[in-house]
Amino acid sequence: MEQARIASGELPRTADLIIIGGGIAGAAAAFYAAREGFRTVVVERKPWLGALTTAAAVACFRAQWDDPDLAYLMVPSIATYERFAEEIGIPGYTIGLRQQGWLFATTDPQGFERFQRWIEGQRRLGITDTELWTGDEARRRFPWLSPAVTAATFRARDGWLSPHEVVYGYARASGASFLLETEALWIRVVGGRVTGVETSRGFLAAPRVVIAAGPFSKRLTATAGVELPLFLLRRQRAFIADPAIPSDAPMVADDDTGVYWRPETGGAFLGWGLPEPPGEPHDPVPADPLFPARVLEGAARLTPLFREVAARLTRDRVSVAAGQYTCTPDGKPLIGSCPEVEGLYVHTGDNGYGIESAPQAARHLVEVLTGRLPEAENRFRVRRTFAPAQKKVL
């Protein structure tokens, strides 16, 4: 397979398709679009790919969904990650896939019944390998869980991966051109249709433009006169270095509070979507230096060993990073055309699920680009009625 050109070198003058944004969404879209025969150019303003939202992610994936739209994205994407080298045509290519499972736990006295209904919903969608445990059953498997846990769900094939390797795997196998250190300034529209993108290095002409710029997507569509129903939420992660944290643990999510953690080499990543008002796009995203203390306290509710970890923690063994979720009112992405401007498409609003949905979301976009999926049948179309988002947004 032809290898991609990933460089900040000579600017091409024309393309069949321009993708703005070199994160995991843009790289996956470039791979599947180029495979369909589109002469594709990706424009990325940073010096490397996957450097904004993708780089700040905890990078977990799960098939535990009872919503048909989200299961449609996640389940095929996980299957793709399980055979990623074959998918991209690079034998032996690895993405750091760790399938140590994903555990949802609760202290709710009615938690078992609530989880039972959730799993029944998953099974209706064909997700049949999620296990339902009582608190005692969960502690037999993971003795470090709190005695207060009343119920848990677990799926062994859930886990996490290296998004950096996924991004560069898709990019290198795509045959597309990737222009780094090249900022998209505005979308040029003539007579109601896209003619190309004005960049910091000159004009690039194309009849189709996909905006996959994460937190900056709304700002870019506005240059073409298109308003997107998006808002941004800051999300933070702390890395805590401590050898006592079990390296064989799964991803652990507190279903009552939303706090979560998973092992990482030498310690763990911890996250918590604490309530904050929507904000403006930032690069870099400022992090709260007090967040590690808050998330350790939150994680200790279900995993008491984090109290001991916090008691011996020193400043050199903790770090914090922040990114922004690009969110929609119904918690589902915007993937499709902008009806106000012919040739303008968006691939954004992943609500924090961008890594675990990337392969299938990109394939869905290509179905729209090729016309095989009419917009009237597109479940993620930009102009749709937004129902309230479901729970379990981490």
Side-chain angles (χ1 to χ4, degrees):
M1 182 178 293
E2 182 186 358
Q3 298 292 294
R5 291 175 292 167
I6 305 174
S8 53
E10 184 179 352
L11 182 77
R13 293 302 170 193
T14 63
D16 298 327
L17 173 68
I18 301 169
I19 298 173
I20 301 174
I24 197 166
F31 173 81
Y32 292 107
R35 196 160 72 172
E36 285 288 336
F38 289 98
R39 190 163 47 94
T40 302
V41 175
V42 178
V43 175
E44 169 55 53
R45 65 190 180 88
K46 305 279 280 185
W48 58 90
L49 301 177
L52 188 58
T53 305
T54 303
V58 176
C60 291
F61 56 84
R62 61 178 164 107
Q64 296 184 64
W65 294 95
D66 63 353
D67 181 289
D69 292 335
L70 296 176
Y72 160 84
L73 291 173
M74 313 307 178
V75 175
S77 293
I78 294 171
T80 298
Y81 288 140
E82 290 175 326
R83 52 174 179 79
F84 192 73
E86 177 185 350
E87 178 78 356
I88 65 173
I90 302 179
Y93 192 88
T94 62
I95 57 171
L97 192 72
R98 299 291 296 274
Q99 289 178 293
Q100 294 182 203
W102 188 313
L103 181 83
F104 281 99
T106 180
T107 61
D108 179 1
Q110 282 76 50
F112 189 89
E113 292 76 15
R114 177 160 51 82
F115 279 160
Q116 190 170 40
R117 292 191 294 272
W118 189 39
I119 286 181
E120 287 169 356
Q122 293 178 41
R123 288 175 178 160
R124 285 193 291 271
L125 298 175
I127 304 159
T128 60
D129 55 349
T130 303
E131 301 177 58
L132 174 61
W133 296 338
T134 65
D136 287 340
E137 289 170 329
R139 280 183 291 276
R140 277 197 291 272
R141 180 68 180 271
F142 302 115
W144 36 260
L145 281 172
S146 166
V149 170
T150 58
T153 71
F154 179 76
R155 182 176 181 271
R157 288 173 60 195
D158 293 340
W160 55 92
L161 47 73
S162 168
H164 175 87
E165 302 304 330
V166 174
V167 169
Y168 276 88
Y170 269 136
R172 288 169 179 153
S174 68
S177 295
F178 289 74
L179 300 178
L180 305 181
E181 299 181 283
T182 306
E183 184 174 3
L185 302 175
W186 67 82
I187 313 301
R188 186 179 292 183
V189 178
V190 176
R193 66 166 297 115
V194 161
T195 61
V197 177
E198 193 67 47
T199 80
S200 56
R201 298 169 57 214
F203 180 69
L204 176 56
R208 303 170 196 85
V209 173
V210 172
I211 296 177
F216 294 90
S217 296
K218 186 173 183 176
R219 184 175 291 179
L220 280 164
T221 60
T223 68
V226 175
E227 180 71 16
L228 294 181
L230 295 173
F231 59 96
L232 304 180
L233 295 177
R234 182 177 69 160
R235 290 293 181 258
Q236 302 180 83
R237 74 170 193 201
F239 175 71
I240 307 297
D242 192 301
I245 298 171
S247 61
D248 60 349
M251 169 73 162
V252 180
D254 187 330
D255 195 61
D256 304 323
T257 68
V259 69
Y260 57 90
W261 68 274
R262 71 156 175 88
E264 179 63 13
T265 303
F269 281 133
L270 294 85
W272 198 357
L274 295 168
E276 293 188 9
E280 294 299 313
H282 290 282
D283 180 21
V285 181
D288 179 359
L290 299 179
F291 178 76
R294 299 181 70 184
V295 75
L296 276 166
E297 181 181 359
R301 197 183 88 89
L302 295 189
T303 313
L305 69 86
F306 280 114
R307 293 193 182 95
E308 302 169 16
V309 170
R312 59 176 173 261
L313 192 63
T314 56
R315 183 176 297 179
D316 62 316
R317 300 179 69 83
V318 59
S319 61
V320 61
Q324 289 178 304
Y325 283 2
T326 307
C327 300
T328 59
D330 62 359
K332 299 176 184 180
L334 304 179
I335 307 174
S337 65
C338 297
E340 301 91 337
V341 178
E342 186 178 351
L344 182 62
Y345 301 82
V346 295
H347 180 10
T348 188
D350 61 39
N351 295 272
Y353 309 134
I355 289 173
E356 60 186 313
S357 68
Q360 181 67 3
R363 289 189 289 255
H364 185 91
L365 172 68
V366 170
E367 290 294 296
V368 176
L369 283 169
T370 59
R372 292 193 294 263
L373 178 63
E375 276 293 352
E377 300 173 19
N378 177 9
R379 64 181 82 193
F380 304 122
R381 60 188 175 275
V382 175
R383 304 303 174 212
R384 63 179 187 258
T385 301
F386 293 95
Q390 73 167 45
K391 196 176 176 247
K392 293 187 175 64
V393 177
L394 300 178

